[in-house]
């Protein structure tokens, strides 16, 4: 899968090596270095208190090393006043399937059957040095290749089920957020706060399953109901 540049995503261009953790981390940090002002993550057209949408996500309830690491970073960054992601809310978004009121039960059943037939293999990633985007503080992750391949397999199953992916695998930028920006503010302040945390050791994260969820917003947090859990081989 060839990743392509696209101004709709962050970073707009992919790193030249999508498997080398140090290259990915430096690429993400350099991209954030070009950001002058943070934006309000929650200021998103189309999302309301009643919006519900189906997504494919990776969640990490059984990785205490990740939740402990995230809590340590959140504590160090608390003076920024961001909306921290709870330990049971840590996730890596793979792609949106569609709004709940636009997808039928039959379509979901067809999609689940399609992905369950010879699903992708399990893999490991690392949460590598902390960085940020325009609207969140997040980990870079590495390597990207198994995440991209999983996204491509889910997207292919969606297309075959009449539920094409809203974003193609070619513009996927895997990341794992820990806090959302809730107001415009200078990005320099965020860089100054995050920089000391970039020396912390990375965290190994096993990926053994992917979840199809119905996502909603509750205040300044994302919550979801699991519709289907696909165990990876």
């Amino acid at each position: 899968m060839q990743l392509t540049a696209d101004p709709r995503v962050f970073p707009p261009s992919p790193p030249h090596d999508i498997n080398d953790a140090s290259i990915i981390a430096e690429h993400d940090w350099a991209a954030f270095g070009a950001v002058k002002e943070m934006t309000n993550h929650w200021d998103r057209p189309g999302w309301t208190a009643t919006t519900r949408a189906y997504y494919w996500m990776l969640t990490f309830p059984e990785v205490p090393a990740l939740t402990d690491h995230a809590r340590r970073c959140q504590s160090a960054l608390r003076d920024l006043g961001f909306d921290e992601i709870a330990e049971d809310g840590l996730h890596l978004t793979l792609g949106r399937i569609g709004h709940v009121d636009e997808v039928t039960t039959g379509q979901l059943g067809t999609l689940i059957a399609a992905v369950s037939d010879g699903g992708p293999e399990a893999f490991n990633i690392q949460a590598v040095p902390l960085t940020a985007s325009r609207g969140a503080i997040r980990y870079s992750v590495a390597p990207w290749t198994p995440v991209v391949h999983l996204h491509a397999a889910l997207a292919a199953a969606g297309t075959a089920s009449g539920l094409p992916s809203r974003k193609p695998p070619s513009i996927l930028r895997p990341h794992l957020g820990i806090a959302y920006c809730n107001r415009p503010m200078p990005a320099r302040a965020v860089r100054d706060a995050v920089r000391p945390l970039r020396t912390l050791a990375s965290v190994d994260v096993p990926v053994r399953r992917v979840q199809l969820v119905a996502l909603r917003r509750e205040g300044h947090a994302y919550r979801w109901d699991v519709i289907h859990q696909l165990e990876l081989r």
Side-chain angles (χ1 to χ4, degrees), residues 53 157 161:
S161 306

Side-chain angles (χ1 to χ4, degrees), residues 170-231:
S170 60
I171 62 171
L172 184 66
R173 305 289 188 265
H175 62 274
L176 202 167
I178 66 165
Y180 295 120
C181 183
N182 48 28
R183 66 199 186 281
M185 65 177 293
R188 178 180 294 179
V190 179
R191 278 191 289 275
D192 289 345
V194 168
R195 188 176 289 107
L197 299 173
R198 290 179 55 77
T199 61
L200 297 177
S202 61
V203 182
D204 292 324
V205 181
V207 178
R208 300 293 179 263
R209 60 191 60 86
V210 58
Q211 294 178 324
L212 190 162
V213 307
L215 187 74
R216 64 187 184 276
R217 273 169 46 170
E218 293 183 358
H220 282 190
Y222 290 110
R223 308 302 294 174
W224 57 81
D225 296 312
V226 177
I227 306 302
H228 178 72
Q229 183 164 277
L230 173 66
E231 298 293 332

Side-chain angles (χ1 to χ4, degrees), residues 1-226:
M1 172 61 62
Q2 181 68 39
L3 299 185
T4 59
D6 193 297
R8 296 174 295 171
V9 295
F10 188 89
S13 62
H16 66 84
D17 187 325
I18 65 171
N19 293 312
D20 187 296
S22 61
I23 290 174
I24 292 170
E26 289 306 316
H27 179 81
D28 284 355
W29 186 244
F32 182 54
V35 175
K36 294 183 179 180
E37 186 174 47
M38 304 293 293
T39 59
N40 186 347
H41 172 84
W42 306 108
D43 186 14
R44 296 194 164 198
W47 272 98
T48 70
T50 61
T51 300
R52 302 289 186 274
Y54 293 120
Y55 278 80
W56 287 112
M57 295 199 319
L58 302 179
T59 62
F60 310 100
E62 301 170 357
V63 190
L66 176 63
T67 55
D68 290 347
H69 198 286
R71 281 198 298 263
R72 178 179 177 182
C73 292
Q74 289 169 339
S75 178
L77 298 167
R78 199 150 287 153
D79 287 347
L80 291 173
F82 282 19
D83 296 317
E84 298 175 5
I85 299 174
E87 61 182 66
D88 63 349
L90 295 173
H91 63 278
L92 192 160
T93 303
L94 289 171
R96 189 175 76 175
I97 298 165
H99 287 289
V100 168
D101 58 2
E102 298 173 346
V103 179
T104 68
T105 301
Q107 286 176 309
L108 277 186
T110 301
L111 175 61
I112 290 169
V115 298
S116 299
D117 184 15
E121 294 184 357
F123 55 90
N124 295 329
I125 56 176
Q126 287 185 315
V128 294
L130 209 63
T131 185
S133 64
R134 291 179 290 263
I137 296 172
R138 64 197 206 180
Y139 293 108
S140 300
V141 301
W144 282 15
T145 291
V147 183
V148 172
H149 284 172
L150 174 58
H151 182 280
L154 297 174
T159 298
S161 306
L163 296 168
S165 176
R166 300 303 177 97
K167 289 184 178 179
S170 60
I171 62 171
L172 184 66
R173 305 289 188 265
H175 62 274
L176 202 167
I178 66 165
Y180 295 120
C181 183
N182 48 28
R183 66 199 186 281
M185 65 177 293
R188 178 180 294 179
V190 179
R191 278 191 289 275
D192 289 345
V194 168
R195 188 176 289 107
L197 299 173
R198 290 179 55 77
T199 61
L200 297 177
S202 61
V203 182
D204 292 324
V205 181
V207 178
R208 300 293 179 263
R209 60 191 60 86
V210 58
Q211 294 178 324
L212 190 162
V213 307
L215 187 74
R216 64 187 184 276
R217 273 169 46 170
E218 293 183 358
H220 282 190
Y222 290 110
R223 308 302 294 174
W224 57 81
D225 296 312
V226 177

